[in-house]
Amino acid sequence: QDIADARQVAERLSIPHYVLDYESRFRTDVVDAFADSYARGETPVPCIACNRTVKFRDLLRTARELGAEALVTGHYVRRVQGADGAELHRGADPSRDQSYFLFGTTREQLEFLRFPLGDLPKTETRALAQRFDLAVADKPDSQDICFVPNGDYAAVVQKLRPEAVEPGEIVDRDGRVVGRHDGIVHFTVGQRRGLALGERAGTDNEPLYVVRLEPETRRVVVGPRSALGRRDIALYDLNWLGPTLKGVLPIQVRVRSSQALRPATIEPAEGGAVVRFAEPEVGVSPGQACVAYDAEHGSRLL
């Protein structure tokens, strides 16, 4: 349907429409990577992997081969020309901002990319589509991961990596067994619902949350909410777009796409960097992205 919609829009605008077959690349770089990450007890963000590979690596390369002057996308993010070249900034509409998913964009890619919707609210985008008589003006927003249309990511992982759904134990932080589970793929750090704690004994009825996953032993480790707070986290696979990172730099960060920015600091470390939060951050899981913005305005993605 998306291909048909794009073709219809291209016809309306009198521009050529091409369909590129990246299915095998998408399978390898996005879907398989997603399944492998969950099998390791992580919480991956496949939209980030898609932007870094199929879109801004493969599609961008094709655009250059076609002799294009730019690759234009509909992401809600802003490209601002700064003193030292193009900068990446949050979209003007906070409820639509997609900068979190584009943290892996390189300086070289940014020079070639354009984001014309970044300054608009979604309502204005729809109004423009209506004005130009585009059939997609009222098309519903996409909500779920595109290859998990019903939201059941565990079923996708089970199909691709059956070993990730082997049953195991739910234990407390002292290693005592308090329940059983049907596969670590069903859990993520910070989760409370879906914990079958039938073997829990005693009078301690404090709510328990997933604090850690141990894929090697197929164990889900649970503890009180207070055990979820993290003062600092180590980052790897760093893509730095700001001024040269030296020493301790004040920043604002988010470890989930939908959360508000939080004050923190970042400093270089072996293999990447370390982020220290001003207040303990709850529910941080390996595999997530921690995206840093400038401390003063929280606008520029670093």
Side-chain angles (χ1 to χ4, degrees):
Q1 183 60 48
D2 288 336
I3 292 173
D5 288 343
R7 182 181 293 116
Q8 194 173 17
V9 169
E11 284 177 5
R12 178 80 187 129
L13 301 179
S14 299
I15 59 175
H17 177 260
Y18 301 93
V19 177
L20 307 175
D21 183 3
Y22 290 163
E23 188 172 341
S24 61
R25 304 180 201 189
F26 185 84
R27 167 70 183 246
T28 300
D29 292 329
V30 182
V31 182
D32 285 348
F34 173 83
D36 289 339
S37 185
Y38 259 110
R40 292 194 299 268
E42 298 175 347
T43 304
V45 189
C47 299
I48 291 174
C50 181
N51 285 323
R52 298 184 81 171
T53 58
V54 178
K55 288 181 185 169
F56 291 173
R57 182 194 65 197
D58 300 331
L59 184 59
L60 193 145
R61 185 185 299 129
T62 299
R64 289 189 189 280
E65 289 170 355
L66 289 171
E69 294 176 13
L71 176 62
V72 184
T73 82
H75 288 101
Y76 282 88
V77 66
R78 291 181 297 138
R79 178 187 181 276
V80 176
Q81 199 63 34
D84 299 319
E87 300 174 355
L88 198 58
H89 286 249
R90 294 169 70 195
D93 184 344
S95 66
R96 297 288 174 179
D97 170 48
Q98 291 178 300
S99 59
Y100 178 88
F101 301 104
L102 298 181
F103 87 85
T105 309
T106 66
R107 290 178 186 273
E108 183 187 15
Q109 291 168 347
L110 200 50
E111 291 297 333
F112 195 69
L113 290 164
R114 300 293 184 272
F115 308 107
L117 302 187
D119 289 310
L120 303 177
K122 187 63 177 273
T123 50
E124 197 171 330
T125 302
R126 289 193 183 280
L128 283 168
Q130 216 146 22
R131 197 171 103 204
F132 295 118
D133 198 24
L134 304 182
V136 293
D138 298 319
K139 186 172 180 174
D141 292 334
S142 56
Q143 298 290 344
D144 298 312
I145 298 170
C146 68
F147 59 90
V148 192
N150 60 358
D152 189 2
Y153 62 84
V156 174
V157 179
Q158 182 171 1
K159 182 179 178 183
L160 297 172
R161 302 292 183 270
E163 67 277 8
V165 288
E166 292 180 1
E169 298 172 334
I170 301 175
V171 301
D172 64 18
R173 289 184 295 165
D174 296 322
R176 291 178 300 214
V177 177
V178 293
R180 296 284 191 278
H181 67 79
D182 295 327
I184 62 169
V185 69
H186 296 288
F187 301 93
T188 188
V189 173
Q191 182 175 330
R192 181 182 172 191
R193 296 176 63 182
L195 291 171
L197 305 177
E199 297 169 44
R200 189 178 180 190
T203 57
D204 180 12
N205 289 317
E206 186 177 1
L208 294 179
Y209 299 79
V210 176
V211 298
R212 190 170 69 252
L213 298 174
E214 297 178 350
E216 303 84 7
T217 57
R218 302 199 302 277
R219 280 182 153 191
V220 174
V221 182
V222 296
R225 182 175 171 81
S226 59
L228 287 172
R230 294 283 297 274
R231 280 285 183 184
D232 54 70
I233 52 174
L235 306 186
Y236 64 94
D237 196 11
L238 196 66
N239 181 59
W240 191 255
L241 289 171
T244 305
L245 182 57
K246 298 175 184 175
V248 179
L249 178 70
I251 52 171
Q252 296 190 57
V253 299
R254 50 162 60 127
V255 293
R256 284 175 292 280
S257 63
S258 58
Q259 75 175 173
L261 296 182
R262 307 182 190 280
T265 62
I266 188 170
E267 59 186 293
E270 188 177 348
V274 172
V275 165
R276 304 189 198 282
F277 302 106
E279 297 290 335
E281 184 67 33
V282 173
V284 178
S285 174
Q288 289 174 314
C290 176
V291 183
Y293 301 82
D294 72 279
E296 187 177 359
H297 303 292
S299 170
R300 183 183 177 186
L301 191 150
L302 303 177

